[in-house]
Each structure stands twice: as structure tokens, then as C-alpha cells.
Amino acid sequence: MTSTTFREVRTANENDTIWKKVSEDDFRRHLVELEQRTNAIPIDVQVFELKNHGTHGLSNQHVLPLSVEQRTADDFAFLAAVQEGAQSVAAVCLEQYLGKNQLLKVRFAAVDTFDEKLKFMLENICKLLMRVNTPAQTSQDDYTEELFRLVMRHHHSRLLARLRSVKWSKPRYLAASHKKPLWRDFANVVHRVQHVYPTKKESVTRRQVEQKLLRLASVYEDFESCEGVEEEQILIRLVRCTYELCQCPCIQAFASRLELLRPTAQIAAALKCLHQLEKIGSYYSISVDLVLTTKQYPVTFSNIQLEYVVPYASISTSIAYESWANTCHVHAEIQLVVDYDLRHQNLKENDGEAVMVWPHVIGTSKYLCYLCYLFIKHHRQYFIANTHGRLYDQWTVPDLKDYGRAVQQRYADVLKKMDEEVRATSDAVGERGQWRAEPMTSRRNLLLQ
């Protein structure tokens, strides 16, 4: 995506900075020390379930339950992550306006700006969803199929990347990567089945799981050798078949039992392959979910508007774990937090937005990084989303003159608590360090229900 407009990250003066309780340089030095001691992965993957499945304490049938709000925001974020690299991360909040003029605003954020092609896709998705509950002869399945094909057209290149297909044109920064196509990983997954179901009485289940995996592997292999119109048809079939595999109880049970085995390189590789299948199958599952949710909450989805947060410019730094890391960025999740805090502090008592149900969750296309997780945890405004545990020291928070005293103080407190937790984690690990395997930064939980 090309970018033309960015906001400044630092506009506050030294008397009103959010770095008054811990200096930014000290904060960053503590991050680097923790990275050195933990190979930049200070915690394991953390997954949080929304325990409150109600509607923010409101007894209004037009307010989405928290679990639905989270899933829908995640779905939109996943669909907005079309590109590779930094552009593969998007975050979304849903604003629900109640009353006479019912409205759902979907607010997007990313490190870079959203190009017109992507906005066009998202607008067409919303137009389709707004048609779902209008009087028509179109069935729910037909809407799902229409949405699925729309998504497939725009995510074609992203899918080739997920497949590591020979048809994929690698971006420059991955030119030296030599990972084999995903379908070649199926052999290792199939081989793990006999270790998960080793006994004679489990032989029927073992053969069933193996056969399902082998059938899907053949679809993946067929895709690599097809051309022209056939390529599009097989890719659509591939995604739908992957979704169906992830919905199979026997495959879900296999994945669950595989997770419990003593970790080895082969098991880790098999799990990584299964998690990749989840993401591929998600292109169909999201189409199913969005249409079904629209059917269940017709008033909420009767009027949808899209909004885009203007991203922040990168800023230079001389303190980094990697020698090449000389710039810091404001992650998409932090952009949304800042955006809503600014809007909330400027909200007038009789403002029309008083009828708005403020977002309680942040949807993401990937799990939160370690620092976004810590920030949201200590900010305490949003339910904590899942984190992959990876620490990126090229992370920062806007330090703006626009902050009122309350926001400025809140961010200073959050950064101080983050710094304390970073230092405590580093001290607990000690100079001997602790090594963790590189985590997958994104998951779509289709298998482990």
C-alpha cells in the first residue's frame, strides 16, 4: 500500500510528555535487555476467552454480545489484512449507535494507509451485508457464496502466500526465503497420526484422519499444477475443503491430542501446518459467520459505515535489539486506543455520540504483540485479546499535545507499569536467559473449538 498522509508521533512538550514517569530511552533499553535474555519472546502464547457473553450490561436486543463483537471485529480485521509485511496487520473496533438512527461504524487502523482497492472491497462487503435482510429471493447460502467469491478475488495474492505456492511472487524482503509449498508439509502431519492414535482399538480413527488429510493434500497438489480458469475454481475448492476439514470432529480431536504430546520439532511443524490450514479455511468461515451474524442481528447491520484512522509516521531510534531496526512505529491496536481516548475526552455532554455503545474489544488480524498486550492490559478499557508473546522493540505510543491531563496521566501510568513488568520479567529470567521457539503471530481458531 502506498502512503501519503501520516500524523506526527511526538507533538507534546517536555513538561507534558507521557514519558515523565519512565524515560523513553530507559524504557527501550529495558526492552532490549529483555529481548536479549528471551530471544525476543518473553512469554508463551496467551489465549483469553470472553467470560462475559452478555451485552456490556445493557438489556438491548440491538447491542451485539461481547463474543459476537469480538468475532466480527476480528473478521473485518482479517479481511483488511490483504498485503504482506507491516500491511498484513490490521485492527478494528465496532461502534454501535442505538436509537432512531441505528448505525454500525467499523473503524479500521493499520501501520500504513488503506489503498482505494482495499476500501472498495470492504465497502462492497458492507453493501452485501446490508442486503442480507432486505426482502428478496436470495437465500442465506447464496449471500455466503457471493461474499466468499468477493473475498477470494481480493485475497488471491495473500492466499498464494499462505500456500507458499510456486505461483506466488515473493516480496523483495522474502526473496531469500526457501520454504517449500505448504502441501509438502502434509506428509509430516499424516505421519504424526500414528503417534496420536497408536493402539489397535484406535485404528479406525487413525485411518479416518489419515484419509481426510491425504484427500486435502491432493487438492493442494492439484492447485500447484493447474492453470487459467481451472486455477480459480480449484483455489475456491481448496479453501472450502480446508474449512470443511477444520470442521470435522475427528480432525479437531486429532489437533487437540497433538497439542498435548511432548513437543518435538516434528510435532511443532505439524501444528504449524494445521494452524496455517485454519487461516486458509477462515476465508470461507468468515463469509459464513458474517452472513449468519447479519441474519441474527438485522437491525445492527442494517446501516454500516466504514471509518479509517490516519496512521502515524515512523520515528527514528538508536536503541534496538536488531542492528537494522532504526525506526519505531505505532501499532494498529494502539492507534485505536489513542483515537478513542481523544474522542472520549473531547465528547460534549449533549453530543450525538452519547447514544453510542463504545467498543469493549479490539479486533485484530493477528494476535497482539507482547507490548500491545501489556499496554491494553494496564490501560484497562478493553478486554484483553490473545497475544503471541513476541516482543518488537520498534514499538511506541504517540506523545501528543492534544492529550488532556487525564489521558496524559493515564498513559504515563500505563508506561510505568509496563516498564515495571518488563524489568520484573527480565529479572526473573536472569542473565542465563530463556529460549522459546518462534511463535506463529496469527491464529484462527477453527480446530480448537
Side-chain angles (χ1 to χ4, degrees), residues 183-423:
W183 71 268
R184 293 187 178 276
D185 292 340
F186 276 76
N188 176 53
V189 180
V190 173
H191 187 67
R192 296 306 114 205
V193 179
Q194 63 182 308
H195 298 286
V196 171
Y197 301 106
T199 65
K200 186 175 181 180
K201 68 178 181 179
E202 295 175 313
S203 60
V204 173
T205 302
R206 181 170 63 246
R207 286 195 297 272
Q208 182 184 25
V209 173
E210 288 173 342
Q211 289 169 2
K212 287 183 179 297
L213 289 169
L214 288 170
R215 279 199 292 270
L216 185 63
S218 69
V219 177
Y220 277 59
E221 188 173 0
D222 287 346
F223 174 72
E224 295 300 329
S225 58
C226 67
E227 296 179 353
V229 176
E230 186 184 26
E231 177 180 323
E232 179 182 351
Q233 295 172 342
I234 293 181
L235 185 59
I236 287 173
R237 178 177 169 230
L238 180 153
V239 173
R240 189 181 281 110
C241 287
T242 303
Y243 166 76
E244 291 169 355
L245 179 92
C246 292
Q247 295 299 296
C248 289
C250 68
I251 298 297
Q252 292 176 348
F254 165 65
S256 296
R257 291 180 64 165
L258 191 63
E259 292 266 12
L260 299 176
L261 293 182
R262 182 177 62 85
T264 64
Q266 292 81 8
I267 289 174
L271 287 169
K272 191 170 185 178
C273 179
L274 290 174
H275 296 333
Q276 193 71 358
L277 296 183
E278 289 180 308
K279 287 186 280 189
I280 292 167
S282 286
Y283 289 102
Y284 189 74
S285 75
I286 286 174
S287 303
V288 172
D289 287 345
L290 284 177
V291 172
L292 179 60
T293 302
T294 302
K295 277 285 189 183
Q296 292 174 330
Y297 302 94
V299 177
T300 301
F301 288 87
S302 61
N303 187 12
I304 309 172
Q305 289 183 11
L306 305 182
E307 300 283 348
Y308 301 92
V309 175
V310 178
Y312 291 86
S314 301
I315 55 172
S316 61
T317 181
S318 59
I319 305 172
Y321 177 59
E322 301 285 0
S323 59
W324 48 263
N326 54 16
T327 56
C328 289
H329 315 278
V330 181
H331 288 194
E333 301 89 336
I334 304 304
Q335 291 182 41
L336 284 172
V337 174
V338 171
D339 189 71
Y340 281 108
D341 282 344
L342 286 173
R343 291 175 60 201
H344 199 275
Q345 79 171 13
N346 297 327
L347 189 64
K348 297 178 182 178
E349 186 175 348
N350 296 318
D351 197 302
E353 288 189 346
V355 298
M356 185 178 97
V357 178
W358 291 79
H360 282 63
V361 299
I362 298 176
T364 56
S365 60
K366 294 189 175 185
Y367 280 14
L368 297 178
C369 75
Y370 175 66
L371 294 177
C372 283
Y373 158 71
L374 287 186
F375 189 92
I376 292 171
K377 171 185 172 182
H378 292 296
H379 184 273
R380 300 177 65 83
Q381 183 67 39
Y382 303 90
F383 286 89
I384 302 173
N386 305 331
T387 175
H388 53 68
R390 177 72 189 266
L391 196 168
Y392 302 101
D393 61 54
Q394 293 179 274
W395 179 98
T396 194
V397 181
D399 191 11
L400 307 177
K401 64 181 180 182
D402 299 327
Y403 295 152
R405 188 64 61 187
V407 173
Q408 180 194 114
Q409 181 66 38
R410 185 177 197 175
Y411 287 5
D413 289 340
V414 169
L415 291 168
K416 182 176 182 291
K417 290 175 182 177
M418 289 177 66
D419 183 64
E420 290 171 350
E421 189 161 343
V422 164
R423 286 187 288 127

Side-chain angles (χ1 to χ4, degrees), residues 81-99:
V82 174
Q83 301 297 325
E84 292 290 308
Q87 289 78 28
S88 69
V89 183
V92 165
C93 279
L94 302 182
E95 302 171 18
Q96 302 170 72
Y97 292 81
L98 308 181

